[in-house]
Amino acid sequence: MRGEAAVREDHGDAKVDRREAILVAAAQLIARRGVRGLRVEEVATEAGVSPPLLYYHFASRSGLIRAALEHASEHAPSTALRRSPAGKDGFEAVKAALLAELDDDRAVRENAVVWGEVSASAVFEPALRDDVRRVSEEWCRTVSDGIGRGVQDGSIRLESDPDDVAQILITLVDGLCTRWLSGAIERERARELLGGAIERILR
Amino acid sequence: MRGEAAVREDHGDAKVDRREAILVAAAQLIARRGVRGLRVEEVATEAGVSPPLLYYHFASRSGLIRAALEHASEHAPSTALRRSPAGKDGFEAVKAALLAELDDDRAVRENAVVWGEVSASAVFEPALRDDVRRVSEEWCRTVSDGIGRGVQDGSIRLESDPDDVAQILITLVDGLCTRWLSGAIERERARELLGGAIERILR
């Protein structure tokens, strides 16, 4: 019955908008208190929808968390590599895209916290692991394709497999995000280290 | 009064043993359910001590978590670099020490989870950040000193600052541990990537 009532409440563009509003609210709440402090009712209130509507869209708390990871992954700054970047060679495009993951911007920080939180939760919730693996593999492929374009236009010189190099680079981005967010190093220092590593690894 | 009773209960070697038992129990429980699922009473039960005794040693839940991070840091496999490794050149010692952080061993895994969990919690608990920064800087210094020995004995060739290189390497180890523990990649793949990166960065 919950589903039916929700369908009547929600259709077409409004449905897409409400789904998006719920995911934005979930990201904000995760960024504030973490995945493990996330209460579905609070997400619904923050998004201005009823809890049944939230359950209609995401089925369960776990479904909501998986969708929040997917949303963070789709909105990550380095997805810029999926579009043809104007006026940049392959190397510049990869470097700009990865450094943007450490931008001083509220949405970027929220995205980074969601990603880190869902990964950290997956250590204790095996149900999340397939999703973590899938979005991680997508990210790796995006960066690997970007590296491939740099090799083709001559701006990147590789001594090893592009997939290995892409894995190393996204692992560095993740690790530096964690260090920045946990206070181990400053964001500017993280960007400087990442920029230097990208230069050394891709040139 | 709690403190006094505890002191009467606990002194000398027994005191050291009990402190250690509490920290081991805390690590096991954190590895099982995370920092945010950690209940002080449960740690006391697991360690076979009374809650007042636990509070006598660590003052608060937050004090216990900080001590667990310190303990994980002191017992991390790469602290092997603080002792002179017999029969290994500097490069081999650094490589072995960092790869050991991805060993298939219960204590190593527990250590990695504690480290990852306390870092992830520090995003939401500013009180933990100074400790996270301090143990992270100690780890970086240990690896940087190891790299320095490799430069001296000619087994490591560096193109950049040893502290920067040490930061990049420990960030990679952390990032690969997170990917392994969250199921994003297999442990063996993480070791292979780390081994390859160490070769390329230090040779």
Side-chain angles (χ1 to χ4, degrees), chain A residues 78-112:
Chain A
S78 45
T79 54
L81 283 174
R82 289 182 197 155
R83 301 173 286 278
S84 312
K88 280 197 185 102
D89 65 29
F91 171 78
E92 285 164 358
V94 170
K95 186 173 176 183
L98 295 179
L99 281 174
E101 298 280 352
L102 291 161
D103 266 359
D104 185 17
D105 174 277
R106 203 182 67 125
V108 169
R109 190 185 183 281
E110 269 177 21
N111 234 286

PDB file of all heavy atoms in Angstrom, chain A residues 78-112:
ATOM      1  N   SER A  78      35.980  14.111 -11.233  1.00  0.00           N
ATOM      2  CA  SER A  78      36.769  13.488 -12.300  1.00  0.00           C
ATOM      3  C   SER A  78      35.920  12.855 -13.402  1.00  0.00           C
ATOM      4  O   SER A  78      36.459  12.403 -14.409  1.00  0.00           O
ATOM      5  CB  SER A  78      37.786  12.485 -11.739  1.00  0.00           C
ATOM      6  OG  SER A  78      37.224  11.666 -10.785  1.00  0.00           O
ATOM      7  N   THR A  79      34.578  12.862 -13.243  1.00  0.00           N
ATOM      8  CA  THR A  79      33.746  12.412 -14.362  1.00  0.00           C
ATOM      9  C   THR A  79      33.863  13.383 -15.535  1.00  0.00           C
ATOM     10  O   THR A  79      33.424  13.068 -16.640  1.00  0.00           O
ATOM     11  CB  THR A  79      32.254  12.310 -13.965  1.00  0.00           C
ATOM     12  OG1 THR A  79      31.853  13.568 -13.410  1.00  0.00           O
ATOM     13  CG2 THR A  79      32.021  11.217 -12.948  1.00  0.00           C
ATOM     14  N   ALA A  80      34.445  14.583 -15.308  1.00  0.00           N
ATOM     15  CA  ALA A  80      34.708  15.529 -16.412  1.00  0.00           C
ATOM     16  C   ALA A  80      35.475  14.816 -17.535  1.00  0.00           C
ATOM     17  O   ALA A  80      35.334  15.169 -18.703  1.00  0.00           O
ATOM     18  CB  ALA A  80      35.511  16.718 -15.904  1.00  0.00           C
ATOM     19  N   LEU A  81      36.253  13.790 -17.174  1.00  0.00           N
ATOM     20  CA  LEU A  81      37.038  13.047 -18.175  1.00  0.00           C
ATOM     21  C   LEU A  81      36.153  12.289 -19.157  1.00  0.00           C
ATOM     22  O   LEU A  81      36.614  11.852 -20.198  1.00  0.00           O
ATOM     23  CB  LEU A  81      37.971  12.052 -17.479  1.00  0.00           C
ATOM     24  CG  LEU A  81      39.231  12.636 -16.836  1.00  0.00           C
ATOM     25  CD1 LEU A  81      39.970  11.559 -16.053  1.00  0.00           C
ATOM     26  CD2 LEU A  81      40.136  13.225 -17.915  1.00  0.00           C
ATOM     27  N   ARG A  82      34.874  12.096 -18.792  1.00  0.00           N
ATOM     28  CA  ARG A  82      33.976  11.360 -19.708  1.00  0.00           C
ATOM     29  C   ARG A  82      33.526  12.230 -20.877  1.00  0.00           C
ATOM     30  O   ARG A  82      33.071  11.726 -21.886  1.00  0.00           O
ATOM     31  CB  ARG A  82      32.757  10.828 -18.947  1.00  0.00           C
ATOM     32  CG  ARG A  82      33.152   9.700 -18.016  1.00  0.00           C
ATOM     33  CD  ARG A  82      31.980   9.105 -17.262  1.00  0.00           C
ATOM     34  NE  ARG A  82      32.488   8.340 -16.135  1.00  0.00           N
ATOM     35  CZ  ARG A  82      31.802   8.091 -15.028  1.00  0.00           C
ATOM     36  NH1 ARG A  82      30.574   8.543 -14.886  1.00  0.00           N
ATOM     37  NH2 ARG A  82      32.345   7.383 -14.058  1.00  0.00           N
ATOM     38  N   ARG A  83      33.614  13.553 -20.703  1.00  0.00           N
ATOM     39  CA  ARG A  83      33.302  14.466 -21.819  1.00  0.00           C
ATOM     40  C   ARG A  83      34.633  14.870 -22.456  1.00  0.00           C
ATOM     41  O   ARG A  83      35.671  14.833 -21.802  1.00  0.00           O
ATOM     42  CB  ARG A  83      32.587  15.709 -21.266  1.00  0.00           C
ATOM     43  CG  ARG A  83      31.286  15.370 -20.541  1.00  0.00           C
ATOM     44  CD  ARG A  83      30.669  16.574 -19.865  1.00  0.00           C
ATOM     45  NE  ARG A  83      31.377  16.995 -18.649  1.00  0.00           N
ATOM     46  CZ  ARG A  83      31.206  16.433 -17.445  1.00  0.00           C
ATOM     47  NH1 ARG A  83      30.368  15.429 -17.292  1.00  0.00           N
ATOM     48  NH2 ARG A  83      31.876  16.879 -16.385  1.00  0.00           N
ATOM     49  N   SER A  84      34.615  15.244 -23.739  1.00  0.00           N
ATOM     50  CA  SER A  84      35.879  15.674 -24.369  1.00  0.00           C
ATOM     51  C   SER A  84      36.225  17.060 -23.856  1.00  0.00           C
ATOM     52  O   SER A  84      35.473  18.001 -24.086  1.00  0.00           O
ATOM     53  CB  SER A  84      35.739  15.764 -25.887  1.00  0.00           C
ATOM     54  OG  SER A  84      35.142  14.626 -26.386  1.00  0.00           O
ATOM     55  N   PRO A  85      37.324  17.175 -23.127  1.00  0.00           N
ATOM     56  CA  PRO A  85      37.654  18.478 -22.568  1.00  0.00           C
ATOM     57  C   PRO A  85      38.246  19.373 -23.658  1.00  0.00           C
ATOM     58  O   PRO A  85      39.167  18.975 -24.367  1.00  0.00           O
ATOM     59  CB  PRO A  85      38.707  18.137 -21.516  1.00  0.00           C
ATOM     60  CG  PRO A  85      39.141  16.728 -21.786  1.00  0.00           C
ATOM     61  CD  PRO A  85      38.338  16.158 -22.900  1.00  0.00           C
ATOM     62  N   ALA A  86      37.677  20.572 -23.796  1.00  0.00           N
ATOM     63  CA  ALA A  86      38.111  21.505 -24.848  1.00  0.00           C
ATOM     64  C   ALA A  86      39.434  22.146 -24.459  1.00  0.00           C
ATOM     65  O   ALA A  86      39.624  22.555 -23.316  1.00  0.00           O
ATOM     66  CB  ALA A  86      37.040  22.578 -25.040  1.00  0.00           C
ATOM     67  N   GLY A  87      40.349  22.206 -25.433  1.00  0.00           N
ATOM     68  CA  GLY A  87      41.591  22.957 -25.249  1.00  0.00           C
ATOM     69  C   GLY A  87      42.594  22.350 -24.293  1.00  0.00           C
ATOM     70  O   GLY A  87      43.521  23.028 -23.858  1.00  0.00           O
ATOM     71  N   LYS A  88      42.394  21.083 -23.903  1.00  0.00           N
ATOM     72  CA  LYS A  88      43.364  20.444 -22.993  1.00  0.00           C
ATOM     73  C   LYS A  88      43.907  19.188 -23.654  1.00  0.00           C
ATOM     74  O   LYS A  88      43.151  18.433 -24.268  1.00  0.00           O
ATOM     75  CB  LYS A  88      42.669  20.019 -21.694  1.00  0.00           C
ATOM     76  CG  LYS A  88      42.446  21.118 -20.693  1.00  0.00           C
ATOM     77  CD  LYS A  88      42.149  20.502 -19.303  1.00  0.00           C
ATOM     78  CE  LYS A  88      41.791  21.558 -18.287  1.00  0.00           C
ATOM     79  NZ  LYS A  88      40.348  21.627 -18.039  1.00  0.00           N
ATOM     80  N   ASP A  89      45.210  18.925 -23.491  1.00  0.00           N
ATOM     81  CA  ASP A  89      45.702  17.629 -23.959  1.00  0.00           C
ATOM     82  C   ASP A  89      45.362  16.575 -22.901  1.00  0.00           C
ATOM     83  O   ASP A  89      44.831  16.910 -21.819  1.00  0.00           O
ATOM     84  CB  ASP A  89      47.207  17.691 -24.283  1.00  0.00           C
ATOM     85  CG  ASP A  89      48.082  17.967 -23.060  1.00  0.00           C
ATOM     86  OD1 ASP A  89      47.688  17.588 -21.946  1.00  0.00           O
ATOM     87  OD2 ASP A  89      49.169  18.550 -23.231  1.00  0.00           O
ATOM     88  N   GLY A  90      45.616  15.316 -23.226  1.00  0.00           N
ATOM     89  CA  GLY A  90      45.226  14.224 -22.337  1.00  0.00           C
ATOM     90  C   GLY A  90      45.810  14.350 -20.941  1.00  0.00           C
ATOM     91  O   GLY A  90      45.110  14.153 -19.936  1.00  0.00           O
ATOM     92  N   PHE A  91      47.097  14.699 -20.868  1.00  0.00           N
ATOM     93  CA  PHE A  91      47.752  14.836 -19.569  1.00  0.00           C
ATOM     94  C   PHE A  91      47.089  15.917 -18.726  1.00  0.00           C
ATOM     95  O   PHE A  91      46.754  15.702 -17.557  1.00  0.00           O
ATOM     96  CB  PHE A  91      49.245  15.153 -19.744  1.00  0.00           C
ATOM     97  CG  PHE A  91      49.914  15.503 -18.449  1.00  0.00           C
ATOM     98  CD1 PHE A  91      50.279  14.503 -17.558  1.00  0.00           C
ATOM     99  CD2 PHE A  91      50.138  16.830 -18.090  1.00  0.00           C
ATOM    100  CE1 PHE A  91      50.868  14.821 -16.333  1.00  0.00           C
ATOM    101  CE2 PHE A  91      50.719  17.156 -16.881  1.00  0.00           C
ATOM    102  CZ  PHE A  91      51.090  16.150 -16.003  1.00  0.00           C
ATOM    103  N   GLU A  92      46.878  17.086 -19.340  1.00  0.00           N
ATOM    104  CA  GLU A  92      46.273  18.206 -18.600  1.00  0.00           C
ATOM    105  C   GLU A  92      44.865  17.854 -18.124  1.00  0.00           C
ATOM    106  O   GLU A  92      44.461  18.236 -17.024  1.00  0.00           O
ATOM    107  CB  GLU A  92      46.207  19.464 -19.484  1.00  0.00           C
ATOM    108  CG  GLU A  92      47.554  20.148 -19.668  1.00  0.00           C
ATOM    109  CD  GLU A  92      47.557  21.142 -20.836  1.00  0.00           C
ATOM    110  OE1 GLU A  92      46.507  21.270 -21.518  1.00  0.00           O
ATOM    111  OE2 GLU A  92      48.602  21.758 -21.068  1.00  0.00           O
ATOM    112  N   ALA A  93      44.120  17.137 -18.976  1.00  0.00           N
ATOM    113  CA  ALA A  93      42.746  16.771 -18.615  1.00  0.00           C
ATOM    114  C   ALA A  93      42.743  15.829 -17.400  1.00  0.00           C
ATOM    115  O   ALA A  93      41.964  16.015 -16.449  1.00  0.00           O
ATOM    116  CB  ALA A  93      42.045  16.119 -19.805  1.00  0.00           C
ATOM    117  N   VAL A  94      43.635  14.826 -17.400  1.00  0.00           N
ATOM    118  CA  VAL A  94      43.700  13.883 -16.269  1.00  0.00           C
ATOM    119  C   VAL A  94      44.130  14.617 -15.002  1.00  0.00           C
ATOM    120  O   VAL A  94      43.515  14.462 -13.934  1.00  0.00           O
ATOM    121  CB  VAL A  94      44.676  12.712 -16.577  1.00  0.00           C
ATOM    122  CG1 VAL A  94      44.937  11.882 -15.334  1.00  0.00           C
ATOM    123  CG2 VAL A  94      44.110  11.830 -17.686  1.00  0.00           C
ATOM    124  N   LYS A  95      45.144  15.450 -15.128  1.00  0.00           N
ATOM    125  CA  LYS A  95      45.656  16.155 -13.951  1.00  0.00           C
ATOM    126  C   LYS A  95      44.576  17.075 -13.359  1.00  0.00           C
ATOM    127  O   LYS A  95      44.328  17.059 -12.147  1.00  0.00           O
ATOM    128  CB  LYS A  95      46.906  16.964 -14.319  1.00  0.00           C
ATOM    129  CG  LYS A  95      47.575  17.601 -13.110  1.00  0.00           C
ATOM    130  CD  LYS A  95      48.900  18.269 -13.439  1.00  0.00           C
ATOM    131  CE  LYS A  95      49.444  18.953 -12.179  1.00  0.00           C
ATOM    132  NZ  LYS A  95      50.686  19.692 -12.436  1.00  0.00           N
ATOM    133  N   ALA A  96      43.915  17.843 -14.236  1.00  0.00           N
ATOM    134  CA  ALA A  96      42.878  18.766 -13.748  1.00  0.00           C
ATOM    135  C   ALA A  96      41.729  18.001 -13.097  1.00  0.00           C
ATOM    136  O   ALA A  96      41.219  18.389 -12.038  1.00  0.00           O
ATOM    137  CB  ALA A  96      42.364  19.625 -14.903  1.00  0.00           C
ATOM    138  N   ALA A  97      41.334  16.887 -13.721  1.00  0.00           N
ATOM    139  CA  ALA A  97      40.194  16.121 -13.210  1.00  0.00           C
ATOM    140  C   ALA A  97      40.496  15.532 -11.829  1.00  0.00           C
ATOM    141  O   ALA A  97      39.650  15.566 -10.927  1.00  0.00           O
ATOM    142  CB  ALA A  97      39.833  15.008 -14.193  1.00  0.00           C
ATOM    143  N   LEU A  98      41.709  15.003 -11.652  1.00  0.00           N
ATOM    144  CA  LEU A  98      42.037  14.391 -10.362  1.00  0.00           C
ATOM    145  C   LEU A  98      42.251  15.444  -9.280  1.00  0.00           C
ATOM    146  O   LEU A  98      41.796  15.281  -8.141  1.00  0.00           O
ATOM    147  CB  LEU A  98      43.262  13.485 -10.493  1.00  0.00           C
ATOM    148  CG  LEU A  98      43.063  12.257 -11.405  1.00  0.00           C
ATOM    149  CD1 LEU A  98      44.342  11.432 -11.488  1.00  0.00           C
ATOM    150  CD2 LEU A  98      41.915  11.366 -10.919  1.00  0.00           C
ATOM    151  N   LEU A  99      42.920  16.546  -9.631  1.00  0.00           N
ATOM    152  CA  LEU A  99      43.121  17.606  -8.628  1.00  0.00           C
ATOM    153  C   LEU A  99      41.782  18.197  -8.187  1.00  0.00           C
ATOM    154  O   LEU A  99      41.641  18.622  -7.033  1.00  0.00           O
ATOM    155  CB  LEU A  99      44.021  18.711  -9.194  1.00  0.00           C
ATOM    156  CG  LEU A  99      45.517  18.406  -9.193  1.00  0.00           C
ATOM    157  CD1 LEU A  99      46.296  19.499  -9.918  1.00  0.00           C
ATOM    158  CD2 LEU A  99      46.050  18.250  -7.757  1.00  0.00           C
ATOM    159  N   ALA A 100      40.808  18.207  -9.095  1.00  0.00           N
ATOM    160  CA  ALA A 100      39.489  18.773  -8.759  1.00  0.00           C
ATOM    161  C   ALA A 100      38.799  17.991  -7.641  1.00  0.00           C
ATOM    162  O   ALA A 100      37.914  18.511  -6.956  1.00  0.00           O
ATOM    163  CB  ALA A 100      38.601  18.816 -10.000  1.00  0.00           C
ATOM    164  N   GLU A 101      39.235  16.725  -7.439  1.00  0.00           N
ATOM    165  CA  GLU A 101      38.662  15.925  -6.339  1.00  0.00           C
ATOM    166  C   GLU A 101      39.068  16.488  -4.971  1.00  0.00           C
ATOM    167  O   GLU A 101      38.516  16.099  -3.946  1.00  0.00           O
ATOM    168  CB  GLU A 101      39.120  14.462  -6.435  1.00  0.00           C
ATOM    169  CG  GLU A 101      38.672  13.744  -7.703  1.00  0.00           C
ATOM    170  CD  GLU A 101      37.226  13.258  -7.656  1.00  0.00           C
ATOM    171  OE1 GLU A 101      36.603  13.350  -6.582  1.00  0.00           O
ATOM    172  OE2 GLU A 101      36.717  12.808  -8.702  1.00  0.00           O
ATOM    173  N   LEU A 102      40.070  17.373  -4.983  1.00  0.00           N
ATOM    174  CA  LEU A 102      40.520  17.996  -3.729  1.00  0.00           C
ATOM    175  C   LEU A 102      40.207  19.498  -3.720  1.00  0.00           C
ATOM    176  O   LEU A 102      40.874  20.271  -3.036  1.00  0.00           O
ATOM    177  CB  LEU A 102      42.027  17.765  -3.538  1.00  0.00           C
ATOM    178  CG  LEU A 102      42.456  16.319  -3.246  1.00  0.00           C
ATOM    179  CD1 LEU A 102      43.937  16.119  -3.530  1.00  0.00           C
ATOM    180  CD2 LEU A 102      42.162  15.955  -1.795  1.00  0.00           C
ATOM    181  N   ASP A 103      39.177  19.896  -4.496  1.00  0.00           N
ATOM    182  CA  ASP A 103      38.783  21.305  -4.545  1.00  0.00           C
ATOM    183  C   ASP A 103      38.163  21.769  -3.233  1.00  0.00           C
ATOM    184  O   ASP A 103      37.582  20.968  -2.490  1.00  0.00           O
ATOM    185  CB  ASP A 103      37.742  21.521  -5.666  1.00  0.00           C
ATOM    186  CG  ASP A 103      38.407  21.954  -6.964  1.00  0.00           C
ATOM    187  OD1 ASP A 103      39.646  22.098  -6.983  1.00  0.00           O
ATOM    188  OD2 ASP A 103      37.680  22.116  -7.963  1.00  0.00           O
ATOM    189  N   ASP A 104      38.303  23.067  -2.994  1.00  0.00           N
ATOM    190  CA  ASP A 104      37.732  23.664  -1.794  1.00  0.00           C
ATOM    191  C   ASP A 104      36.300  24.120  -2.105  1.00  0.00           C
ATOM    192  O   ASP A 104      36.041  25.289  -2.343  1.00  0.00           O
ATOM    193  CB  ASP A 104      38.590  24.880  -1.398  1.00  0.00           C
ATOM    194  CG  ASP A 104      38.129  25.480  -0.084  1.00  0.00           C
ATOM    195  OD1 ASP A 104      37.398  24.783   0.654  1.00  0.00           O
ATOM    196  OD2 ASP A 104      38.481  26.627   0.191  1.00  0.00           O
ATOM    197  N   ASP A 105      35.398  23.163  -2.113  1.00  0.00           N
ATOM    198  CA  ASP A 105      34.028  23.433  -2.549  1.00  0.00           C
ATOM    199  C   ASP A 105      33.125  22.514  -1.735  1.00  0.00           C
ATOM    200  O   ASP A 105      33.452  21.338  -1.543  1.00  0.00           O
ATOM    201  CB  ASP A 105      33.957  23.096  -4.053  1.00  0.00           C
ATOM    202  CG  ASP A 105      32.563  23.197  -4.616  1.00  0.00           C
ATOM    203  OD1 ASP A 105      31.791  22.215  -4.479  1.00  0.00           O
ATOM    204  OD2 ASP A 105      32.252  24.233  -5.214  1.00  0.00           O
ATOM    205  N   ARG A 106      32.010  23.055  -1.266  1.00  0.00           N
ATOM    206  CA  ARG A 106      31.157  22.281  -0.370  1.00  0.00           C
ATOM    207  C   ARG A 106      30.680  20.971  -0.998  1.00  0.00           C
ATOM    208  O   ARG A 106      30.746  19.909  -0.392  1.00  0.00           O
ATOM    209  CB  ARG A 106      29.940  23.114   0.062  1.00  0.00           C
ATOM    210  CG  ARG A 106      29.330  22.634   1.380  1.00  0.00           C
ATOM    211  CD  ARG A 106      28.112  23.478   1.716  1.00  0.00           C
ATOM    212  NE  ARG A 106      27.057  23.217   0.739  1.00  0.00           N
ATOM    213  CZ  ARG A 106      25.817  22.818   1.059  1.00  0.00           C
ATOM    214  NH1 ARG A 106      25.486  22.662   2.316  1.00  0.00           N
ATOM    215  NH2 ARG A 106      24.919  22.607   0.117  1.00  0.00           N
ATOM    216  N   ALA A 107      30.230  21.053  -2.273  1.00  0.00           N
ATOM    217  CA  ALA A 107      29.704  19.848  -2.934  1.00  0.00           C
ATOM    218  C   ALA A 107      30.804  18.798  -3.121  1.00  0.00           C
ATOM    219  O   ALA A 107      30.570  17.600  -2.961  1.00  0.00           O
ATOM    220  CB  ALA A 107      29.089  20.219  -4.275  1.00  0.00           C
ATOM    221  N   VAL A 108      32.023  19.263  -3.442  1.00  0.00           N
ATOM    222  CA  VAL A 108      33.148  18.328  -3.630  1.00  0.00           C
ATOM    223  C   VAL A 108      33.486  17.639  -2.310  1.00  0.00           C
ATOM    224  O   VAL A 108      33.691  16.428  -2.250  1.00  0.00           O
ATOM    225  CB  VAL A 108      34.392  19.071  -4.192  1.00  0.00           C
ATOM    226  CG1 VAL A 108      35.624  18.188  -4.134  1.00  0.00           C
ATOM    227  CG2 VAL A 108      34.134  19.530  -5.624  1.00  0.00           C
ATOM    228  N   ARG A 109      33.497  18.435  -1.224  1.00  0.00           N
ATOM    229  CA  ARG A 109      33.799  17.865   0.086  1.00  0.00           C
ATOM    230  C   ARG A 109      32.725  16.846   0.490  1.00  0.00           C
ATOM    231  O   ARG A 109      33.037  15.750   0.953  1.00  0.00           O
ATOM    232  CB  ARG A 109      33.885  18.985   1.136  1.00  0.00           C
ATOM    233  CG  ARG A 109      34.431  18.512   2.463  1.00  0.00           C
ATOM    234  CD  ARG A 109      34.390  19.596   3.528  1.00  0.00           C
ATOM    235  NE  ARG A 109      34.991  19.094   4.761  1.00  0.00           N
ATOM    236  CZ  ARG A 109      34.386  18.300   5.618  1.00  0.00           C
ATOM    237  NH1 ARG A 109      33.137  17.907   5.393  1.00  0.00           N
ATOM    238  NH2 ARG A 109      35.001  17.867   6.710  1.00  0.00           N
ATOM    239  N   GLU A 110      31.456  17.202   0.269  1.00  0.00           N
ATOM    240  CA  GLU A 110      30.355  16.290   0.595  1.00  0.00           C
ATOM    241  C   GLU A 110      30.491  14.983  -0.178  1.00  0.00           C
ATOM    242  O   GLU A 110      30.335  13.894   0.376  1.00  0.00           O
ATOM    243  CB  GLU A 110      29.014  16.938   0.243  1.00  0.00           C
ATOM    244  CG  GLU A 110      28.409  17.724   1.393  1.00  0.00           C
ATOM    245  CD  GLU A 110      27.116  18.415   1.015  1.00  0.00           C
ATOM    246  OE1 GLU A 110      26.454  17.994   0.026  1.00  0.00           O
ATOM    247  OE2 GLU A 110      26.774  19.384   1.699  1.00  0.00           O
ATOM    248  N   ASN A 111      30.793  15.116  -1.457  1.00  0.00           N
ATOM    249  CA  ASN A 111      30.999  13.946  -2.297  1.00  0.00           C
ATOM    250  C   ASN A 111      32.106  13.045  -1.751  1.00  0.00           C
ATOM    251  O   ASN A 111      31.954  11.825  -1.682  1.00  0.00           O
ATOM    252  CB  ASN A 111      31.429  14.428  -3.690  1.00  0.00           C
ATOM    253  CG  ASN A 111      30.544  13.853  -4.758  1.00  0.00           C
ATOM    254  OD1 ASN A 111      30.664  12.681  -5.068  1.00  0.00           O
ATOM    255  ND2 ASN A 111      29.643  14.644  -5.277  1.00  0.00           N
ATOM    256  N   ALA A 112      33.196  13.689  -1.359  1.00  0.00           N
ATOM    257  CA  ALA A 112      34.341  12.927  -0.847  1.00  0.00           C
ATOM    258  C   ALA A 112      33.982  12.213   0.455  1.00  0.00           C
ATOM    259  O   ALA A 112      34.374  11.063   0.685  1.00  0.00           O
ATOM    260  CB  ALA A 112      35.544  13.851  -0.641  1.00  0.00           C
TER     261      ALA A 112
END
